Amino acid sequence: MNSSLHVAACASAALFAISLAVFLRWLKADSHLRLPPGPNRVPLLGNVHQLPMQSQEKKFTKWGAEYVGDIVFARFFRTPTLVINSLQAAHDLLGKKSSIYSYRPDFVLLSELMGWDCVVTHMTYGNRFRKHRRWILDAFQDKHSLESYRPLQRREAYILLSGLIQNPELFRSHIKRFAAAMIMQIAYGHSVTSLDDKFVHLAERAGKETVEYGNAGVMLVDFFPLLKHIPLWMPGSGFKRRAFEIRDVVRKMLDTPYEMVKDAMKSGTASPCLTATLLEEVLSERAPTREDEDDIKGTAGVLYGGKSNRTSAVLSTFVLAMVLYPEVYKKAQAEVDRVVGQDRLPDFEDRESLPYLECVVKEVYRWNCPVPLGIPHKLISNDQYQGFDIPGGSMVIPNIWGMTRNDSFYPEPEMFRPERFEQMDRYTAEARDPRNMVFGFGRRVCPGQDFADTSVWIAVANMVATLDIAVATDEAGKQAPPTGSFVPGFVSHPEEFTCRITPRSEQVKTVVFETSANIVL
């Protein structure tokens, strides 16, 4: 045997020995545990090779049906993973045991390489997480604070209506502006007056590039953190160069509006906002450190960069559903006409008197939950559930999409049918409200959920009251209905579609424009 063949043979033998040792260690680690049911695993890869590149939530739902249980166990490379497919299991584990289930896996790609480490959604549970969460809770869960935002929500809803009447073909842009404008005002005191607002474009670009390049916990570097040390000149480091490019965009998104507020505070022209409030809180004690500034940027940025994207996804889903299910829209319009009339626009006080519209909003959340898999949790210590052992260190994935497709809860789940909630008794309707799922679980539940939900409601109620939404027609006059498909990804948006949006009457146009002109914050 020549020397080169000898070296190759030795290398192959060494690789085989290492692989065998890893495999045996892997088998031994699981041998004493009664793990939840799940798909068969192979050495080294575990189950990662069984996952599709997109729409993993559908695969997880299929596993749940195949292995007949609320939870499914898998391994993605070396990482033990628990997939939660039922609302009950999510409440039992992520809610009742939140003290051990509220941590985050190591998001090396997103946090360390892309620069999202200062936002609370990606932080593991600890003191910094609690500080950020307290700041956001103070801004969004205090009853007085929520009520103080209502004039802003009204104003932006009326601007949305005006835009939809004047340029209906740009409905998705108007929806994005609506969602971003409220967050920009609250976070930075900045009024978004144009569809081309530079801060909105910054947030959109950072979010879009992040989501398109890699979801939390799915890139190789998250499973093999040593890869983050690969030099940029080495073959295979392309993922790292791209991550650094995105980090520059993320950094600009976080820094630019923060510096705008800081400069305005120095000149005495700052508008009341979350960033100014947090800066004043720190300044009352000391000069802000680099960590203080990063914390403030991250707290404002998590609103600016993420929550508006989810609100726009929900409202776009509403428009799509109304195009595909015109009978639902007509029924909602009839209810609003009966309760509100046509001489004014719906307001927050009307909500309890519009039960069918409430069912429509619930069904929008259920039919296309905005974040199908949430953000993975991490179990910090060993646990047991339903007689099974769950290893500490497991990545825990709440399959929210699968929960909203539970056909024992929601018969014919692919259908958009708000009446399903009318047909439930009060206790069942409350227990199966999709808002118990789509905003997360336990200590990781979205602290701004009440604000987000009321923002969606005021927009939907006013659109129903003032606009007709229908299938678009092509140049030949034939109807061109949308496919009703959704773009897979971290946030689920409807695929691009067209529709016809018109004011219900000239009187409605007058009411909208007069109300918009008279609204004062």
Side-chain angles (χ1 to χ4, degrees), residues 24-45:
L24 292 174
R25 183 180 177 186
W26 176 66
L27 285 177
K28 185 178 180 181
D30 286 351
S31 61
H32 66 290
L33 299 177
R34 186 167 184 257
L35 297 171
N40 292 329
R41 305 183 291 279
V42 300
L44 302 181
L45 294 177

Side-chain angles (χ1 to χ4, degrees), residues 46-86:
N47 303 102
V48 74
H49 64 294
Q50 296 169 292
L51 284 184
M53 291 298 293
Q54 296 179 331
S55 301
Q56 289 93 355
E57 65 273 9
K58 295 180 181 179
K59 186 68 171 182
F60 293 152
T61 302
K62 185 177 179 182
W63 281 352
E66 185 175 350
Y67 299 103
V68 193
D70 295 342
I71 55 177
V72 172
F73 185 81
R75 276 190 182 272
F76 301 141
F77 297 111
R78 299 176 301 167
T79 304
T81 302
L82 186 76
V83 178
I84 299 178
N85 281 318
S86 80

Side-chain angles (χ1 to χ4, degrees), residues 32 52 145 188 202 207 209 243 249 300 346 364 383 393 399 405 422 424 427 436-437 453 475 477 519:
H32 66 290
S145 296
Y188 303 108
L202 267 177
E209 293 194 17
V249 178
V364 169
D383 191 27
N399 183 8
R405 287 296 189 277
E422 289 184 315
M424 300 175 186
Y427 174 80
N436 295 331
M437 312 171 209
D453 182 56
E475 294 179 357
I519 191 70

Side-chain angles (χ1 to χ4, degrees), residues 146-159 178 182 186 348 450-456 458-459 462 521:
L146 284 172
E147 289 181 352
S148 73
Y149 298 142
R150 288 192 169 184
L152 170 65
Q153 291 170 304
R154 288 189 194 98
R155 183 192 75 180
E156 296 305 330
Y158 302 154
I159 294 174
F178 165 79
M182 291 182 295
I186 293 169
F348 296 101
D450 291 334
F451 175 79
D453 182 56
T454 54
S455 298
V456 166
I458 196 68
N462 278 274
L521 279 178

Side-chain angles (χ1 to χ4, degrees), residues 367-516:
W367 191 56
N368 178 43
C369 58
V371 186
L373 292 174
I375 300 179
H377 293 228
K378 180 180 179 179
L379 172 62
I380 197 63
S381 59
N382 294 338
D383 191 27
Q384 289 189 330
Y385 184 64
Q386 295 180 345
F388 296 110
D389 298 313
I390 306 172
S394 292
M395 179 166 65
V396 182
I397 301 175
N399 183 8
I400 300 170
W401 185 89
M403 297 174 202
T404 63
R405 287 296 189 277
N406 183 338
D407 58 10
S408 64
F409 278 16
Y410 314 108
E412 299 179 297
E414 298 301 324
M415 299 289 292
F416 187 92
R417 195 165 63 82
E419 288 77 11
R420 69 175 80 248
F421 295 104
E422 289 184 315
Q423 294 160 3
M424 300 175 186
D425 61 69
R426 182 176 178 180
Y427 174 80
T428 303
E430 289 178 358
R432 296 180 182 178
D433 189 334
R435 288 171 291 203
N436 295 331
M437 312 171 209
V438 300
F439 289 107
F441 304 94
R443 298 179 189 182
R444 289 287 178 176
V445 71
C446 173
Q449 63 176 324
D450 291 334
F451 175 79
D453 182 56
T454 54
S455 298
V456 166
W457 186 88
I458 196 68
V460 165
N462 278 274
M463 290 167 71
V464 168
T466 61
L467 303 170
D468 284 326
I469 301 174
V471 176
T473 54
D474 59 24
E475 294 179 357
K478 293 182 179 179
Q479 288 192 336
T483 62
S485 300
F486 299 94
V487 179
F490 175 66
V491 177
S492 178
H493 289 268
E495 287 187 351
E496 290 292 332
F497 68 97
T498 58
C499 63
R500 182 167 54 86
I501 299 176
T502 55
R504 295 181 68 187
S505 67
E506 288 299 316
Q507 180 186 357
V508 159
K509 287 176 65 174
T510 301
V511 171
V512 168
F513 292 141
E514 287 181 352
T515 307
S516 299

Side-chain angles (χ1 to χ4, degrees), residues 168-188:
E169 71 282 359
L170 300 177
F171 70 94
R172 294 190 84 147
S173 296
H174 294 305
I175 285 172
K176 287 179 182 178
R177 192 217 62 82
F178 165 79
M182 291 182 295
I183 294 300
M184 286 300 302
Q185 189 75 51
I186 293 169
Y188 303 108

Side-chain angles (χ1 to χ4, degrees), residues 29 96-97 113 178 206 215 255 276 299 318 341 376 386 447 451 504:
K96 295 177 182 178
K97 297 183 178 183
L113 299 183
F178 165 79
N215 290 339
D255 291 347
T299 300
F318 165 74
Q386 295 180 345
F451 175 79
R504 295 181 68 187

